[in-house]
Amino acid sequence: MYYKSTRNSSVNVTSAQAIAQGISKDGGLFVPSEIPFISFDDISNLGKMSYAERAAFVFSKYLTDFSETEIAYCVNNAYNTKNFKSENIADIAHLFDGTYMLELWHGPTCAFKDMALQILPYLLTTSAKKIKLDKKVVILVATSGDTGKAALDGFKNVEGTEIMVFYPEDGVSAMQKKQMATQEGENVNVCAIKGNFDDAQNGVKAIFTDENIAKKLDENGLMFSSANSINWGRLAPQIIYYVSTYAQLVEDKEIKMGDKINIVVPTGNFGNILAGYYAKKMGVPVNKLICASNSNNVLTEFIKTGVYNRNREFYTTISPSMDILISSNLERLLYHLSGDDDKQICEWFGKLSTEGKYFVNDEVKKILNDEFYAGCCDDVETKTCIKNIFDKYSYTCDTHTAVAVKVYQDYVKETGDKLKTVIASTASPYKFANSVLDGLGCYDENSDEFQLVDKLSEVSRLEVPASLSELKDKKVRFSSLIEKDEMINYVIKSLNI
Ligand SMILES: *Cc1c(COP(=O)(O)O)cnc(C)c1O
């Protein structure tokens, strides 16, 4: 198995190279040269295994240059009960008739990003060894809130690495900000920018492809890599939980092998749902992939009409991790859907950066419509949905997950589809306690984020994750705030190069 660049199909690297490098030099994303197939027998066997064993199986299909021992080292260090509060790693909650909440937030930072970022440091340092890289890896991260903390937690004090996180000053929740600003570790750096997530992501992408800074890094024995879902090492671990969930549902006799299910994903950068697409292409029986957006509904429009247009108002919502207008991973999907047409991808994404807009041909549009359903909802609908789910099922979900539930309900109304459905639950409600309480009608504007957490625990009767309540007594270590076009200088200064 090799990895190609979405902007140059003749690029041919191993998974270790793709993971260490993060992004291709031409600005494209690394994609597998083929999507490996797994049989129903394989899935049946997985049903009897632990999460770490399931992960090892899926990785063995994608990281073909890793030895069995290397894969075992990575999965065992990441997917254990030291890092995750549930033995299943990802829990499946049976919510209502035929609907399952795939709770991906039992990791150390309480969002689904942990599923990938607890293992990425192991994948990355193993990759660096494999390709005999004798440089220190500097991880640059742009975050809409959750990736930043999850990456900091995963990479803190990992030898041979340094990590730098940029987040939009007004684009993250109070708890998310607290989580990042108090981060401990010798090799970490956190900085707020005046701008939104897209500005942060564009800034990081520009630094990656800047030749001047690349030269400086090289002279100093450093190189950049990415912990965003543009890195294949972020995406591959996300495929696992979809394969694992299907195997588990069969094992639990909730479905029969071969039964199709729907997968609903609250979407921002299109990484999580793309992992679901890879799982489907590998042979997991999936009917529709349902793409749920908040008011930043650029993807809803794209999937419905084939027109991608980022020239629109940017909304700051109560589901901030989805406040994104440039969904990076769409590039991977379109590369596959257009038959690995790198020229076409260069044209579309060139237009996106110059005009902010492109549209796909009818062929691609048709496949998009066959594979995906898309919908969106605003903050008011999100809050109403939180309340409805709580009243009906005594289940408290976070704002992002609520967007997914609402869009799924709309889908069922529109189509009458009765297939069993898995909803990706992407964050603990405690990360967004103020908005969740607001939805439940219990918000008190005079409370700070920790009082709100206590209040939410009273109402929801869910245990407060220690990693959040502990933050209260932690010292703020990072408070820099810079203009978005100062990012490159900030990096140069911080690295002292
Ligand atoms: C990152 C994030 C999302 C969006 O996931 P993408 O892979 O960027 O589409 C949704 N919900 C939460 C809580 C997140 O942290």
Side-chain angles (χ1 to χ4, degrees):
M1 166 91 63
Y2 284 91
Y3 289 80
K4 306 194 276 185
S5 162
T6 50
R7 302 206 188 173
N8 181 355
S9 294
S10 64
V11 167
N12 210 0
V13 302
T14 60
S15 78
Q17 182 73 43
I19 291 169
Q21 210 174 312
I23 186 167
S24 182
K25 287 200 180 77
D26 46 50
L29 306 186
F30 289 116
V31 283
S33 52
E34 64 200 290
I35 299 178
F37 182 74
I38 58 174
S39 67
F40 286 173
D41 279 350
D42 289 331
I43 298 176
S44 251
N45 292 336
L46 291 177
K48 307 261 184 284
M49 296 181 192
S50 69
Y51 191 87
E53 290 166 330
R54 292 172 187 175
F57 176 79
V58 174
F59 279 137
S60 74
K61 303 284 174 187
Y62 282 101
L63 315 182
T64 51
D65 51 325
F66 279 54
S67 71
E68 214 173 297
T69 318
E70 286 164 339
I71 289 178
Y73 162 77
C74 296
V75 299
N76 292 332
N77 275 298
Y79 301 128
N80 57 50
T81 48
K82 253 194 354 244
N83 296 333
F84 289 85
K85 274 201 6 220
S86 157
E87 208 151 309
N88 304 321
I89 307 300
D91 269 343
I92 304 171
H94 201 156
L95 186 55
F96 44 88
D97 267 357
T99 310
Y100 306 88
M101 283 289 188
L102 174 56
E103 295 179 349
L104 299 168
W105 39 264
H106 296 291
T109 76
C110 307
F112 88 91
K113 305 295 199 291
D114 288 327
M115 301 299 297
L117 283 161
Q118 281 300 306
I119 195 161
L120 183 63
Y122 295 101
L123 295 175
L124 194 107
T125 48
T126 305
S127 296
K129 261 194 216 126
K130 292 178 75 62
I131 61 171
K132 306 205 165 41
L133 192 78
D134 54 359
K135 289 181 181 160
K136 188 172 197 180
V137 181
V138 180
I139 313 286
L140 287 189
V141 182
T143 183
S144 55
D146 289 329
T147 294
K149 178 61 187 183
L152 289 163
D153 189 279
F155 279 99
K156 72 162 183 268
N157 298 333
V158 171
E159 220 174 292
T161 71
E162 220 168 289
I163 172 163
M164 227 177 265
V165 171
F166 295 96
Y167 72 88
E169 183 195 11
D170 297 320
V172 302
S173 80
M175 188 60 87
Q176 288 176 316
K177 196 176 272 188
K178 196 94 188 182
Q179 280 186 307
M180 290 188 279
T182 57
Q183 178 64 44
E184 291 162 357
E186 295 305 312
N187 62 339
V188 302
N189 196 329
V190 178
C191 179
I193 66 154
K194 293 181 193 168
N196 60 36
F197 171 74
D198 291 316
D199 297 322
Q201 177 160 262
N202 285 339
V204 164
K205 277 190 192 163
I207 299 171
F208 272 128
T209 43
D210 187 295
E211 281 177 19
N212 190 24
I213 196 165
K215 213 171 116 234
K216 278 193 180 178
L217 283 176
D218 202 45
E219 287 162 8
N220 286 278
L222 302 169
M223 76 176 266
F224 282 138
S225 188
S226 167
N228 283 100
S229 54
I230 53 178
N231 192 328
W232 179 253
R234 259 291 296 279
L235 215 52
Q238 296 183 198
I239 302 169
I240 295 159
Y241 47 75
Y242 293 114
V243 177
S244 165
T245 298
Y246 191 89
Q248 190 63 49
L249 289 176
V250 173
E251 182 67 16
D252 293 345
K253 305 212 162 36
E254 296 288 338
I255 54 173
K256 286 198 305 293
M257 182 63 76
D259 287 353
K260 285 195 170 177
I261 58 167
N262 297 309
I263 294 177
V264 192
V265 186
T267 302
N269 224 353
F270 209 77
N272 202 0
I273 193 164
L274 182 69
Y277 173 82
Y278 280 118
K280 177 176 183 181
K281 292 294 136 182
M282 289 176 78
V284 175
V286 176
N287 175 49
K288 284 278 181 192
L289 292 153
I290 299 173
C291 174
S293 302
N294 62 24
S295 295
N296 296 296
N297 57 3
V298 62
L299 285 168
T300 314
E301 184 178 280
F302 176 66
I303 289 169
K304 288 198 162 138
T305 66
V307 179
Y308 196 99
N309 187 355
R310 58 158 298 205
N311 303 314
R312 58 176 70 220
E313 195 174 333
F314 179 93
Y315 297 98
T316 301
T317 72
I318 57 168
S319 43
S321 302
M322 293 152 67
D323 291 347
I324 295 175
L325 291 180
I326 305 172
S327 298
S328 290
N329 277 292
L330 201 54
E331 180 165 338
R332 285 193 166 105
L333 177 72
L334 293 180
Y335 182 78
H336 293 305
L337 298 191
S338 64
D340 297 3
D341 190 343
D342 52 352
K343 303 279 168 314
Q344 182 66 83
I345 295 299
C346 288
E347 189 197 315
W348 286 337
F349 286 84
K351 276 201 179 134
L352 180 64
S353 71
T354 53
E355 296 160 37
K357 186 176 165 177
Y358 65 91
F359 59 91
V360 296
N361 53 39
D362 287 345
E363 234 171 290
V364 169
K365 198 174 128 189
K366 169 146 193 334
I367 318 177
L368 267 178
N369 276 306
D370 289 345
E371 302 272 5
F372 294 88
Y373 170 92
C376 58
C377 75
D378 64 20
D379 282 354
V380 175
E381 291 170 306
T382 306
K383 284 187 218 166
T384 309
C385 186
I386 291 175
K387 175 91 172 113
N388 287 344
I389 299 166
F390 184 78
D391 288 348
K392 267 200 192 142
Y393 311 107
S394 304
Y395 188 87
T396 312
C397 70
D398 99 289
T399 47
H400 304 75
T401 309
V403 169
V405 174
K406 172 67 171 79
V407 169
Y408 172 61
Q409 288 169 341
D410 291 345
Y411 166 79
V412 170
K413 247 187 237 151
E414 194 179 311
T415 61
D417 186 352
K418 293 199 171 60
L419 285 179
K420 302 243 163 117
T421 295
V422 170
I423 298 177
S425 175
T426 50
S428 157
Y430 284 109
K431 278 196 106 160
F432 306 94
N434 54 345
S435 304
V436 172
L437 282 168
D438 197 11
L440 297 175
C442 314
Y443 179 61
D444 171 8
E445 62 179 3
N446 296 317
S447 306
D448 70 17
E449 60 264 41
F450 297 102
Q451 289 165 324
L452 290 172
V453 160
D454 290 340
K455 176 83 191 167
L456 184 57
S457 118
E458 242 173 76
V459 178
S460 70
R461 303 224 169 94
L462 278 174
E463 204 185 321
V464 183
S467 60
L468 296 184
S469 48
E470 261 160 23
L471 293 175
K472 196 170 168 178
D473 305 317
K474 290 220 161 129
K475 202 172 94 229
V476 169
R477 294 185 65 205
F478 302 99
S479 51
S480 299
L481 171 65
I482 61 170
E483 300 290 336
K484 61 186 179 193
D485 50 15
E486 285 174 26
M487 285 170 65
I488 198 157
N489 285 335
Y490 185 86
V491 170
I492 291 172
K493 244 203 333 246
S494 305
L495 293 174
N496 213 354
I497 55 175

